[in-house]
Amino acid sequence: MRWISLLVLVAIWLAGTAPLRADDLPEQTFQSIITHQLNAMAKDDNAAAYSDAAPNVQAIFPSPDIFMSMVRSGYPPVYRNKSYNFTGTGTDANGRIFEKVAIEGADGVAYKAYYFMEKQPDGSWKISGCVVLKDQDSV
C-alpha cells in the first residue's frame, strides 16, 4: 500500500513539473501584457511599459527612462508602430515561451516580434526579452 501511495505522489509531482506545452500556455494573458506595454509605449508612459519587463530586463536597464531609451533606439517598430497582430504562442528550441506578434512599423515595413515570457514566483508573467526581425515574406 505504501508503494502505491508513493507512486501516486511521484506521479502528481511529475505532472506538476512537466514543461508547458503550447496548448497549455496562457495566450490571452501574454497578449494582454504585450498590449499593455505597447499602449504604454505609444503614450510615452515609461513607468507602465517598464512594469511589464521581467526582473532580468530590469536588472540590465535599472530605470524606466533607461529602459525606454533602449527601446527607442533598438526597437523602433515596437516603440512606434502602425499596427500589430498576435500570430501565435509557442516555445523555442531552448524551451523559452514566446508570443509571436506581426508588427507594421511606423516606416510601413512588416516585422515579426518574438516576445519571450517568463513566469514569476508569484504566478504572474513578465516579458523577459524581445527579438524583432524584418518579415521576409513581405520583402
Side-chain angles (χ1 to χ4, degrees), residues 77-126:
V78 170
Y79 175 62
R80 292 290 189 256
N81 61 74
K82 288 184 180 179
S83 65
Y84 62 92
N85 182 33
F86 296 101
T87 60
T89 303
T91 56
D92 71 3
N94 295 317
R96 296 182 303 167
I97 299 165
F98 65 84
E99 180 71 30
K100 187 174 165 189
V101 184
I103 296 177
E104 181 183 359
D107 57 3
V109 176
Y111 298 88
K112 292 179 184 175
Y114 296 84
Y115 281 82
F116 292 95
M117 306 302 294
E118 179 182 88
K119 193 168 190 176
Q120 303 305 299
D122 67 0
S124 67
W125 290 87
K126 298 283 185 177

Side-chain angles (χ1 to χ4, degrees), residues 102-105 107-112 133-139:
I103 296 177
E104 181 183 359
D107 57 3
V109 176
Y111 298 88
K112 292 179 184 175
L133 307 167
K134 277 191 179 177
D135 188 343
Q136 296 302 315
D137 295 336
S138 65
V139 177

